[in-house]
Amino acid sequence: MDEFNETLITLTGYVEMNKYRYLYFFVFFTVYVLIICSNGTIVYLIWTHKNLHEPMYIFIGALLFNSVIYSSTFYPKLLTDFLSDKQVIPYSGCIFQYFVFYSVGGSEFLLLAVMAFDRYVSICKPLRYPTIMRKTTVKHLLVFAWLFPSLHVVLQAALSTKSKICDHNLEAIFCNNTIYALQCMRSRTVTIIGVVILFDVAVLPVLFTVFTYAKIFIMAYQSNTTSKRKAAKTCVPHLLVLISFSYLCVYDVILARVESHLPKAARFVMMLQLFLYHPLLNPIIYGLKMKEISKHLKTLFCSTKV
């Protein structure tokens, strides 16, 4: 156990660290503060305004809160690394970062699937909506979205802690799927579990979300009622977020497969894509596209100026 705790992994994915460390720190610190403030502001508005205590807005608040946790998985460590002479992390810490990163990432897909289900019931079965989307149902869906990925990833993370390490240099700036390059031999069991996790917490929720929204749009635009068409427009922000996060998921899979075949600078830029803009995109999309949230944001900032 002591040997395990003393195992340090050196993160070698940074580019021109000595030259740009303070620029990196300033940029990432600014982005992290913006992520906390922008997501936190909308979560606060949803929490404090009763007219936003509807399932759709509660799920949006959960998604934005998820973005804060997602960002906090690596931003504090990155900021510390920028000001450190050596960019190292204990292997146990690396596994923990891996676990949180994929647990929260899986929750994002499931929350978007839950939001799709909410929109489907609201638009396609409006009379049954109050009986289906009760407070207890909302709570159960949220618990499921946060726990289901964790229960999947924890097994893979536990098995990874027992794997023998032959390399202590990780060509990355944080611990994602690239940690398997450190292991002397990749376990077949871990690989199979990884495929199951990808299918259960990413592929299936995405297929469900796309199918559900396709059905909503078809039904809404075949209907003669303007209200259904307007309601269908509330699905657009969710689809934009889904496309953005799915794009990042593809990046993560590519990074795990290309290993050292890409130039270091290209890998560095690709890794930045995983967390640089998506947590900022969510509050912008929901702040601009969701009418009620946008209205409260304008009221908040106008009253602040006065």
Side-chain angles (χ1 to χ4, degrees), residues 176-230:
N176 62 341
N177 269 322
T178 53
I179 62 170
Y180 295 118
L182 302 174
Q183 298 172 2
C184 303
M185 184 180 295
R186 186 174 296 188
S187 167
R188 188 177 179 182
T189 305
V190 171
T191 302
I192 293 171
I193 293 171
V195 173
V196 172
I197 291 171
L198 181 65
F199 188 75
D200 282 357
V201 303
V203 176
L204 276 181
V206 168
L207 290 176
F208 173 82
T209 305
V210 171
F211 174 78
T212 304
Y213 283 140
K215 199 166 183 180
I216 290 171
F217 283 120
I218 291 169
M219 187 174 291
Y221 285 92
Q222 283 178 345
S223 171
N224 293 322
T225 58
T226 308
S227 60
K228 282 196 174 182
R229 294 185 181 182
K230 286 183 178 179

Side-chain angles (χ1 to χ4, degrees), residues 65-290:
F65 179 70
N66 209 61
S67 291
V68 174
I69 300 174
Y70 178 81
S71 302
S72 298
T73 305
F74 31 74
Y75 271 96
K77 173 62 177 149
L78 284 174
L79 294 173
T80 303
D81 284 343
F82 293 143
L83 300 180
S84 303
D85 293 330
K86 292 183 179 181
Q87 292 72 47
V88 297
I89 184 171
Y91 185 62
S92 56
C94 198
I95 294 295
F96 179 73
Q97 190 177 58
Y98 166 91
F99 166 73
V100 178
F101 177 70
Y102 287 107
S103 295
V104 177
S107 295
E108 184 109 0
F109 283 119
L110 286 169
L111 284 169
L112 288 168
V114 165
M115 291 161 84
F117 174 71
D118 171 70
R119 292 295 81 208
Y120 173 78
V121 177
S122 175
I123 297 166
C124 302
K125 301 180 183 294
L127 296 178
R128 296 182 59 192
Y129 185 80
T131 56
I132 295 175
M133 297 305 294
R134 292 176 295 180
K135 285 185 178 181
T136 52
T137 306
V138 172
K139 289 177 183 177
H140 290 157
L141 288 172
L142 287 175
V143 169
F144 173 76
W146 274 317
L147 283 185
F148 186 72
S150 300
L151 294 175
H152 275 64
V153 181
V154 70
L155 178 59
Q156 192 178 31
L159 290 172
S160 295
T161 59
K162 299 176 181 179
S163 300
K164 187 178 179 182
I165 302 299
C166 287
D167 190 355
H168 293 78
N169 294 312
L170 183 65
E171 291 186 24
I173 57 177
F174 74 101
C175 300
N176 62 341
N177 269 322
T178 53
I179 62 170
Y180 295 118
L182 302 174
Q183 298 172 2
C184 303
M185 184 180 295
R186 186 174 296 188
S187 167
R188 188 177 179 182
T189 305
V190 171
T191 302
I192 293 171
I193 293 171
V195 173
V196 172
I197 291 171
L198 181 65
F199 188 75
D200 282 357
V201 303
V203 176
L204 276 181
V206 168
L207 290 176
F208 173 82
T209 305
V210 171
F211 174 78
T212 304
Y213 283 140
K215 199 166 183 180
I216 290 171
F217 283 120
I218 291 169
M219 187 174 291
Y221 285 92
Q222 283 178 345
S223 171
N224 293 322
T225 58
T226 308
S227 60
K228 282 196 174 182
R229 294 185 181 182
K230 286 183 178 179
K233 289 180 180 178
T234 62
C235 302
V236 174
H238 310 323
L239 280 172
L240 291 174
V241 173
L242 176 67
I243 291 167
S244 169
F245 201 69
S246 298
Y247 164 76
L248 298 184
C249 185
V250 171
Y251 255 65
D252 184 66
V253 173
I254 291 172
L255 277 169
R257 295 290 176 265
V258 296
E259 295 181 353
S260 59
H261 302 305
L262 279 178
K264 189 175 182 179
R267 288 175 61 83
F268 180 63
V269 172
M270 287 180 72
M271 294 206 87
L272 292 182
Q273 300 295 310
L274 295 176
F275 53 80
L276 191 58
Y277 68 86
H278 178 74
L280 275 177
L281 191 64
N282 286 1
I284 292 172
I285 289 174
Y286 289 115
L288 294 177
K289 291 289 185 181
M290 304 303 289

Side-chain angles (χ1 to χ4, degrees), residues 33-44:
V33 170
L34 287 173
I35 288 168
I36 298 295
C37 293
S38 58
N39 286 279
T41 299
I42 296 180
V43 171
Y44 168 77

